[in-house]
Amino acid sequence: MEKKKYVLKPRPVPQKIFTDLDNEQQNAVVNSSGRSIVIAGPGSGKTRVVTYKIVHLISQGVPPSRIMLVTFTRAAAKEMIERAKVATGRDLEEMVAGTFHSVCNLFLRKYATRLGYESNYTILDRDDSKTMMKHARAIVLERLPKELRKNIPKEGLLLHIHSYMMNTLSNFEKALKDLAPYFMEISSIIAEIFAEYNLEKKKQNTMDYDDLLVNFLRLLKEYPKIAERLSERFEWILVDEFQDTNIVQYYIVEELAKVHGNIFVVGDDAQSIYSFRGARFENVMDFMKIEGTKVFKIQTNYRSTGNIVKLVNALLPRSAVPKILRATREGGVKPVVVTTMDSRDQAMFVGQRIEELLEEGVPPREIAVLYRSNYMSLDIQLDLSARSIPFRVLAGRSFLELAHIKDVLAFLRIVQNPKDVVSWVRAAKLFEGVGDRTASKLAQLASKYVDSGLDYTEAIKQVRASRKTTLSKMEEILSEIKEMSSPEEMINTVLSHFYSDYLLMRYEDAYEREKDLEKLSELASRYNSLERFLSDLSLTEEISPEIYEDKEKVTLTTIHQAKGLEWNTVFVVSVNPGDLPNAKAIQEGHLDEEERLFYVAITRAKERLYIIKQALGTAMPYVGNSIRFARDLDFIERIPEDLVEFWEV
């Protein structure tokens, strides 16, 4: 019996759905075709635009399986898909959506053998990659003469350099020069470690996160037929947060769109702040320059009051695509530029003003303190603790819980209490060749020496004599600092004799950690008593951890961690040349990224914005007067006086 076929068509999406969009958003969604970029100002609803682009494509009959959505977090992809499902009433399971890494992995599983891998390769996470790099480092060091084994960077820093090299498609020499020029003399050894690392990954049939991107790009470049097949499959490529893409991701997007030419990217170059991960705000500019690219701007700000938006417009980074935000919430209080004498007065102002806001009924969760670097938060943490104001340090530990702070304080705690086993173990394990057993033996022996009225540093001599260790440096440091009375002098001695070099060898962010420790030293300079200094820190540590779990908290966070978030009231602290903008960034010619960081910071505020500077400049004298008081580097100098109030503390 012959049967007629009845074909089900996609259910039409009601056009009234698009009434949820403003005119600019609707224009970007409906009229974008071919190569299109949406420049989305802060608070302008970019998530909504990407979501409704999916809805519109489906309403036009594009099957979900022909759409690819690439985002920077799984949560963002999931949120957009769920919203699009509700709007369309369609099951979008066939749509390819996820992070760049997950999308690359999806196709590499199918074609891995073309690149010399088995399809069941293992993906190394960050810890796995560090373990693999440590293994490669050990293999290479075994081949070297003993005199060349010293001063080789640790696996964390090596991995950071390797990752940067991959994500920027830089050659080895450029990556090393950009990130760790002080290791150029041993570049051949580092190159050998990298070669061993890549060899081991291949032998073990593993890829790290960077390999997922680079290998997928290799596949597209080296196998044109595969590239064409994938490009034919996807009629539309949608990319969120385009300003945060690196050069590898940019090339992947271009390759996947070659057949149909439909790329819809959304981003704001003015909010590109992750160059240390290889992100290129230039990707936005490069994309726009290609002939035929349509540019849409969504510039209505739904987050901030009119007075904050006026300031935001005045402080658009000079290298950014021009845009003028329009506020939907007119008026509001003017932003405030606050001048304090120094960082201690700044902390007292922030603490007192937060107390007042809490009394006025502002919830703690709606207040944030933003800073360029972690060390800038120490005085503020101490002041909030003294006032019993609950706070959280977003996506990270309290300043006093940071590993490098605890490392240095361990030496001081030993001087204060030579029977402190925890501090002995922590300090001893910082030295090459010292493990748990040796460190524990040293701690116990030192305690016995103290009980016997003997010099505890003699315990180090005894352990050194029985074991092959590098503890002579520890003995030297403790022998010196135990004769000192100044906590500041003790900290500086630990840094200059050992720990500054230790940071360079171990951490990719050694510069930032060094600044944290300089801030600790500056705090210690206020004390003449080691006991008082350590006691005050200990009391602060009792307040700042998660003992307020059942209460709301004020947020303390770096600007990098604050991106994408918003609060009723925002304090941007230490806006001084050398602090923000950062001294190292200035010296390396990266002032443009500091401008974008400041822009991101001020755009987080919904109702109140306080920008705070110090009359004495940065609390860190290392930056030198040429930076500290350079007016052309002072972001405050760029603020039109009629847009803010000025307060002096």
Side-chain angles (χ1 to χ4, degrees), residues 137-329:
R137 180 180 182 273
I139 290 173
V140 172
L141 261 57
E142 277 296 313
R143 301 175 191 153
L144 298 175
K146 287 185 179 179
E147 62 272 15
L148 294 180
R149 295 180 190 177
K150 295 180 180 179
N151 300 329
I152 305 299
K154 293 291 185 180
E155 56 275 3
L157 177 54
L158 289 170
L159 189 64
H160 178 57
I161 298 167
H162 188 272
S163 180
Y164 179 83
M165 182 176 70
M166 298 277 278
N167 284 305
T168 59
L169 296 180
S170 301
N171 60 43
F172 167 71
E173 286 76 16
K174 184 181 186 307
L176 188 60
K177 189 174 180 180
D178 284 352
L179 294 185
Y182 36 84
F183 288 124
M184 289 301 291
E185 288 185 4
I186 57 168
S187 61
S188 60
I189 296 174
I190 295 175
E192 194 176 342
I193 294 171
F194 286 179
E196 194 66 44
Y197 173 68
N198 290 320
L199 180 64
E200 282 296 315
K201 284 188 295 179
K202 201 71 174 286
K203 279 166 57 179
Q204 297 181 35
N205 194 34
T206 60
M207 293 189 202
D208 62 24
Y209 286 145
D210 303 325
D211 290 324
L212 294 175
L213 299 178
V214 173
N215 283 339
F216 185 53
L217 181 59
R218 266 187 62 206
L219 181 76
L220 296 174
K221 292 283 192 182
E222 294 175 14
Y223 294 90
K225 289 186 178 178
I226 294 175
E228 187 177 1
R229 194 178 309 149
L230 291 176
S231 184
E232 169 61 38
R233 172 178 168 181
F234 295 105
E235 192 174 332
W236 277 88
I237 311 292
L238 315 182
V239 186
D240 186 29
E241 302 284 13
F242 191 65
Q243 77 280 349
D244 292 332
T245 53
N246 61 36
I247 194 67
V248 185
Q249 293 160 333
Y250 180 88
Y251 288 155
I252 286 171
V253 168
E254 293 287 5
E255 288 291 326
L256 289 174
K258 270 188 174 175
V259 172
H260 298 289
N262 293 319
I263 318 177
F264 180 83
V265 305
V266 179
D268 181 5
D269 60 302
Q271 297 186 68
S272 178
I273 59 175
Y274 298 121
S275 65
F276 63 94
R277 297 179 189 165
R280 296 178 76 246
F281 77 93
E282 296 92 344
N283 282 356
V284 171
M285 315 292 191
D286 292 346
F287 189 91
M288 291 171 61
K289 287 176 187 173
I290 295 177
E291 189 177 351
T293 301
K294 295 181 179 178
V295 179
F296 300 87
K297 294 181 182 180
I298 54 175
Q299 302 173 103
T300 302
N301 180 285
Y302 294 93
R303 174 185 298 152
S304 306
T305 61
N307 279 325
I308 292 176
V309 168
K310 287 176 186 176
L311 180 64
V312 168
N313 283 332
L315 295 175
L316 181 73
R318 288 175 288 189
S319 61
V321 175
K323 66 178 75 66
I324 299 177
L325 297 177
R326 294 179 300 276
T328 57
R329 305 168 59 209

Side-chain angles (χ1 to χ4, degrees), residues 21 68 88 190 220 228 255 262 278 327 332 346 385 394 422 428 447 454 456 476 478 490 542 557 571 585 608:
L21 305 176
M68 177 189 288
T88 61
I190 295 175
L220 296 174
E228 187 177 1
E255 288 291 326
N262 293 319
Q346 172 177 258
S385 295
L394 186 64
V422 172
S447 185
L454 300 173
Y456 56 83
E476 176 190 327
L478 287 174
M490 292 178 182
E542 288 173 10
T557 178
F571 296 82
R608 296 179 187 84

Side-chain angles (χ1 to χ4, degrees), residues 371 373-382 391-394 396-407 409 512-523 533 537 540-541 544-545 556 620:
Y371 36 85
S373 303
N374 282 311
Y375 68 80
M376 298 175 190
S377 74
L378 179 53
D379 281 312
I380 295 165
Q381 289 190 43
L382 291 171
F391 66 89
R392 60 172 183 157
V393 181
L394 186 64
R397 296 180 175 183
S398 158
F399 184 91
L400 297 169
E401 294 176 306
L402 297 171
H404 47 293
I405 300 296
K406 284 186 166 291
D407 286 348
L409 288 178
E512 289 296 325
R513 292 174 188 256
E514 182 91 23
K515 296 310 128 203
D516 290 347
L517 290 163
E518 289 185 15
K519 182 61 183 178
L520 182 70
S521 173
E522 189 266 330
L523 177 68
F533 173 61
L537 293 184
T540 299
E541 285 189 304
S544 61
L556 274 59
M620 300 302 216

Side-chain angles (χ1 to χ4, degrees), residues 354 358 364-365 367 384-385 387-392 543-545 547-549 551-556:
I354 288 176
L358 295 176
R365 69 174 184 276
I367 301 173
L384 294 180
S385 295
R387 297 173 190 272
S388 297
I389 295 174
F391 66 89
R392 60 172 183 157
I543 293 173
S544 61
I547 63 172
Y548 291 101
E549 205 56 59
K551 296 183 181 180
E552 294 185 321
K553 302 174 185 178
V554 172
T555 298
L556 274 59

